């Protein structure tokens, strides 16, 4: 026991090698592409709404739910695959898949076809962050982890900004040059999907050159044994998460496990049936119901098959509070990032090209600065306070609120843009802090699964609900401003969870190894 601890102390103080920063640069580019492909639909939304005869709630479903639910669900088995297989190869395949599906979005002729393509993008992108978070955590010592994860996560805002600029430029230029449609009858928004999807296939070749690091070496921990059959485990994981295969997976756990699974399924079906019965849209709540039931099924199976991972993730209140706190933070952030372009185009009369340039550049700058500064501050706070990173999460849950109100009540673009910039700047720092906190609460072999669980909060609570609910309330009220501002009602819950995480994290991290051993982990 003394050996690993001593070597861990040395590793913790060693500087990160140059190659680690090189890898971080590649992963940053991957995450930029991730959000270019994910976010470009925002600047194209008004044209898609017109051409495919959609409502605001449909746009929220396409951007958030269709993508986010399947991103969350496949993130779990793919996170487990990242923990047991070659992470670089996993990311390479995923990047090629989501880039292809983004390009195919450009050939959509109906809302259903576009939804199917968005599901494919979500499945492909589910490979990225579990693999990337695990790679970064094995390339950088704990004292630099929030900084490195924040730099990687800044690709979110840079990619979102680039997508708005490129998308706005292409859609306006293409429609001006080809008012009746260009090659293959494609209109501007379709051409934009093709233009942002194809470059990812080239970057996938670059990603394939990254060297796979030794798991746990940076912390002085012994390398875990290689998994004897990672893909068999992956397909077994699918049985726990993809309905109706979940029933087969539950039956393998015995009669009691099957009864628990069926009880959870019945509860979800009852709630979804009630919502549809009172007039809520079927696609949205069927997708959410599938997501909630699938996560419940997976958590029950994880408890049976890997008690130690369950104990450090689902069984740790500090972990869950951190996930919920950031998930609800992203509830607002995703809604604002999607509806900013439609608001400024529809309400303030901007052109797509100028809106894309100003929203894209300010969003990229705000996110990059906020995440980078937030990560550095979080790491410094942690030096004197084991829960110091959560202070940044609390900051990100409260300070952006007045700026968000200012943006979505603005009657002038010169009020809207500065308020949106300040909102993004103050909210974005929370991501790296929350992510690093969850990574510190688990063992190295569990990091891919921890990342996937973290992104369940981001997607099911944030991405799948925030943009949709803003759009749904906009449809019912006739005001996009009302739709957005109604989401602020969730802020007290966000703050409560963030404060609870701050109080719980120190004891949870200090007892990490002991609780894992008690659950059967051989350490």
């Amino acid at each position: 026991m003394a050996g690993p601890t001593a070597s861990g102390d040395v590793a913790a103080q060693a500087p990160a090698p140059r190659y680690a920063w090189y890898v971080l640069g590649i992963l940053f580019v991957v995450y930029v592409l991730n959000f270019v492909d994910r976010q470009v639909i925002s600047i194209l939304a008004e044209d898609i709404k017109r051409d495919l005869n959609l409502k605001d709630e449909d746009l929220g479903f396409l951007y958030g739910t269709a993508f986010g639910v399947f991103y969350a669900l496949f993130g779990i088995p793919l996170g487990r695959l990242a923990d047991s297989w070659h992470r670089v190869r996993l990311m390479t395949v995923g990047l090629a898949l989501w880039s292809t599906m983004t390009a195919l979005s450009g050939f959509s002729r109906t809302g259903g076809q576009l939804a199917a393509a968005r599901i494919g993008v979500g499945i492909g992108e589910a490979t990225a962050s579990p693999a990337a978070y695990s790679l970064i955590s094995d390339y950088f010592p704990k004292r630099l982890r929030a900084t490195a994860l924040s730099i990687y996560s800044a690709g979110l805002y840079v990619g979102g900004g680039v997508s708005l600029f490129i998308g706005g430029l292409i859609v306006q230029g293409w429609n001006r040059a080809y008012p009746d449609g260009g090659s293959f009858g494609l209109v501007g928004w379709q051409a934009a999907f093709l233009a942002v999807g194809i470059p990812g296939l080239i970057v996938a070749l670059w990603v394939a050159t990254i060297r796979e690091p030794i798991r746990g070496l940076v912390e002085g921990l012994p390398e875990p044994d290689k998994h004897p059959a990672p893909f068999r485990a992956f397909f077994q994981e699918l049985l726990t998460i993809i309905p109706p295969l979940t029933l087969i997976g539950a039956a393998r756990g015995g009669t009691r496990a099957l009864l628990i699974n069926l009880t959870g399924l019945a509860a979800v079906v009852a709630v979804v049936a009630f919502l549809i019965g009172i007039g809520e849209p079927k696609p949205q709540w069927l997708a959410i119901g599938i997501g909630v039931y699938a996560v419940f099924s997976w958590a029950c199976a994880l408890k049976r098959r890997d008690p130690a991972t369950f104990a450090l993730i689902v069984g740790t209140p500090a972990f869950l509070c951190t996930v919920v706190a950031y998930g609800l933070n992203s509830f607002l952030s995703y809604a604002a990032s999607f509806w900013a372009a439609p608001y400024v185009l529809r309400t303030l009369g901007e052109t797509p090209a100028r809106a894309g340039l100003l929203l894209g550049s300010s969003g990229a700058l705000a996110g990059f600065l906020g995440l980078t500064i937030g990560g550095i501050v979080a790491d410094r706070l942690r030096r004197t306070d084991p829960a110091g990173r959560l202070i940044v999460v609390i900051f990100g849950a409260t300070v952006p609120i007045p700026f968000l109100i200012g943006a979505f009540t603005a009657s002038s673009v010169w009020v809207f843009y500065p308020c949106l910039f300040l909102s993004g700047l103050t909210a974005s720092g929370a991501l790296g802090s929350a992510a690093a906190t969850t990574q510190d609460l688990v063992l190295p072999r569990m990091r891919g699964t921890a990342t996937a669980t973290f992104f369940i909060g981001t997607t099911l609570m944030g991405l799948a609900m925030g943009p949709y609910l803003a759009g749904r309330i906009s449809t019912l009220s006739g005001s996009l401003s009302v739709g957005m501002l109604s989401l602020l009602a969730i802020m007290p819950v966000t703050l409560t969870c963030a404060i609870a995480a701050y109080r719980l994290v120190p004891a949870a991290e200090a007892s990490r190894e002991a609780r894992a051993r008690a659950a059967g982990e051989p350490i």
Side-chain angles (χ1 to χ4, degrees), residues 106-123:
F107 295 101
S108 299
R109 302 292 181 180
T110 67
Q113 291 175 358
L114 185 53
R118 292 289 292 174
I119 289 170
V121 174
I123 293 171

Side-chain angles (χ1 to χ4, degrees), residues 211-511:
R211 295 198 301 263
E212 184 80 7
I214 298 174
R215 298 178 193 266
L217 179 64
V218 74
E219 294 185 44
L221 296 172
E223 182 179 7
D225 294 335
K226 294 189 183 300
H227 198 289
F231 284 95
R232 180 190 294 177
F234 169 72
F235 287 113
Q236 289 176 343
E237 199 75 29
L238 287 180
L239 293 179
T240 72
I241 195 73
I242 305 299
L245 300 178
T246 46
L247 296 175
I248 299 173
R252 289 183 173 183
T255 303
R256 184 172 182 272
L258 180 59
L259 288 175
I260 292 172
N261 189 283
L262 289 171
T263 301
L265 175 60
V268 171
V269 168
V271 173
V272 171
F274 171 76
L275 290 170
I276 293 174
I278 62 173
E280 285 296 297
K282 285 184 181 180
Q284 169 69 18
W285 296 107
L286 285 174
I288 292 294
I290 290 170
V292 171
Y293 163 66
V295 171
F296 170 78
S297 176
W298 167 78
C300 291
L302 181 66
K303 186 176 183 179
R304 294 193 307 271
R305 295 182 297 110
D306 191 345
T309 298
F310 179 90
L312 295 192
I313 296 179
V314 183
T316 299
F319 190 104
L320 296 180
C321 286
T322 302
V323 169
V324 173
Y326 184 73
L328 295 179
N329 177 299
S330 68
F331 178 84
L332 288 173
S333 297
Y334 274 122
S337 65
F338 177 68
W339 288 112
Y343 182 86
V344 80
L345 293 171
R346 186 185 308 175
T347 306
L348 303 182
E350 275 282 37
T351 62
R354 195 169 91 152
L357 173 62
L358 293 176
L359 285 173
S361 58
S362 65
L365 181 61
F368 185 83
L369 289 176
L371 268 168
T372 304
I373 295 170
I376 294 170
V377 170
D379 280 339
R380 290 185 177 177
L381 288 171
R382 195 187 186 283
R383 293 175 188 172
T384 55
D385 182 353
R389 288 173 178 155
L390 275 305
I391 295 174
V392 178
V393 177
I394 294 169
F395 178 92
T398 53
V399 175
I401 300 303
F403 302 123
L404 202 60
I405 294 171
F408 284 93
T409 57
S411 56
S412 164
V413 294
W414 305 116
V415 174
F416 177 84
Y417 288 126
C419 284
L420 194 69
F421 174 84
L422 291 171
S423 172
L425 179 69
T426 52
S428 56
L431 175 53
S433 305
T437 298
T438 60
Q439 294 288 294
D440 289 347
L441 290 172
V442 299
L443 300 176
R445 76 165 184 86
M446 305 170 182
R447 284 180 178 145
T449 305
T451 303
T453 308
F454 176 70
F455 277 96
I456 288 172
T458 304
T459 52
L460 290 185
M461 286 185 285
L463 183 56
M465 293 298 294
Y468 166 78
L469 286 176
R472 177 63 172 155
I473 296 171
S474 172
T475 298
L476 294 173
S477 67
S479 169
L480 185 51
S481 178
V482 171
M484 268 302 305
L485 297 182
S486 66
L487 303 187
L488 297 178
I490 204 69
M491 195 273 284
V493 181
T494 311
L495 184 59
T496 299
C497 291
I499 293 172
Y502 177 81
R503 293 177 176 175
L504 294 170
V505 159
E509 185 176 351
S511 63

Side-chain angles (χ1 to χ4, degrees), residues 135-155:
L135 287 168
I136 289 169
S137 294
D138 278 326
Y139 268 116
F140 288 87
K142 186 180 292 188
R143 63 187 177 81
L144 293 174
R145 199 164 287 155
T147 300
L149 286 171
S150 293
I151 292 171
Y152 165 75
S153 299

